[in-house]
Amino acid sequence: MSVDAQTRSTHPNQQRLIDLAGEFFAEVESLTPGKDLETRLNADYGRGNRYYDGFCELIKTGLANDEGWVAIDELDGPKYRRSKVSWPSSKNRYFSITTVYMESIDEYRGQYHAHPYGEINCVVQLSPGAELMGMSGWQGEGWTSPGPGTHHYPEVRGGALVALFFLPAGRISYDAKPGMPQPLSI
């Protein structure tokens, strides 16, 4: 049985990630998720950027040390897990923070969902060839940013990764169905 995220104690590395994310949100809070933001994040916030490198280091350390806050709630066995790291609040500019662990050599699909206000995903590769499917195609290390109203299956291939995702106002919906039209701007 899963332990409610609000009753878990906050590990020091989890708090470091929340604090770092708060600084990151201060830089991107006025930008709208979508293709343009995805391009900007991959150009300006990829490997070598203190936010991207910090997020990757904290996630990898949390997993390696089994700290109990990175993607611990199984959705489809150990290959597909997630955990809420932080709920929306004024401290994190009303973004929620969630970790999703996915692992598969072949393509694997998770739960179909929609992003009412869009989404920002930091792709943390745990295997060198692992990729996450974004609205613009497969993405290894770096970022995806589905725009408002988009919907999809989260998909992985080539190994293991963690999608560290940030949702404006914590909004996510599981009411969307495959085949529904996408918004004009993805």
Side-chain angles (χ1 to χ4, degrees):
M1 175 182 257
S2 171
V3 177
D4 182 73
Q6 291 180 322
T7 63
R8 292 185 188 124
S9 61
T10 302
H11 188 279
N13 281 333
Q14 178 182 1
Q15 188 59 54
R16 286 182 189 96
L17 187 131
I18 293 167
D19 293 343
L20 185 62
E23 294 174 32
F24 172 71
F25 298 148
E27 292 189 20
V28 301
E29 71 178 328
S30 64
L31 304 175
T32 302
K35 192 172 188 166
D36 289 344
L37 179 56
E38 182 174 302
T39 299
R40 180 175 177 181
L41 291 171
N42 281 304
D44 299 338
Y45 290 84
R47 190 187 325 173
N49 175 275
R50 76 181 197 93
Y51 298 118
Y52 182 79
D53 291 349
F55 294 148
C56 290
E57 180 182 337
L58 289 164
I59 293 293
K60 289 176 181 180
T61 299
L63 284 171
N65 296 333
D66 196 20
E67 294 173 353
W69 62 274
V70 180
I72 60 171
D73 300 322
E74 290 186 4
L75 299 170
D76 187 14
K79 68 182 176 187
Y80 183 38
R81 311 183 308 258
R82 78 172 160 233
S83 292
K84 183 71 69 186
V85 174
S86 180
W87 295 95
S89 71
S90 59
K91 183 177 179 187
N92 58 12
R93 309 235 196 266
Y94 298 99
F95 281 87
S96 65
I97 305 169
T98 303
T99 56
V100 176
Y101 175 93
M102 297 178 74
E103 179 178 9
S104 183
I105 298 302
D106 300 318
E107 292 179 24
Y108 171 79
R109 288 180 161 182
Q111 291 178 314
Y112 203 84
H113 65 277
H115 318 103
Y117 299 154
E119 179 178 54
I120 300 171
N121 289 303
C122 178
V123 181
V124 180
Q125 286 182 314
L126 304 174
S127 304
E131 296 178 299
L132 180 72
M133 174 59 90
M135 301 308 293
S136 301
W138 291 100
Q139 176 69 49
E141 69 178 17
W143 300 86
T144 68
S145 185
T150 57
H151 46 91
H152 68 123
Y153 287 103
E155 296 180 73
V156 65
R157 70 178 183 189
L161 58 78
V162 170
L164 171 63
F165 69 88
F166 311 123
L167 293 170
R171 294 289 309 277
I172 190 166
S173 170
Y174 294 98
D175 294 337
K177 304 289 183 237
M180 289 174 55
Q182 294 285 354
L184 293 177
S185 174
I186 59 170

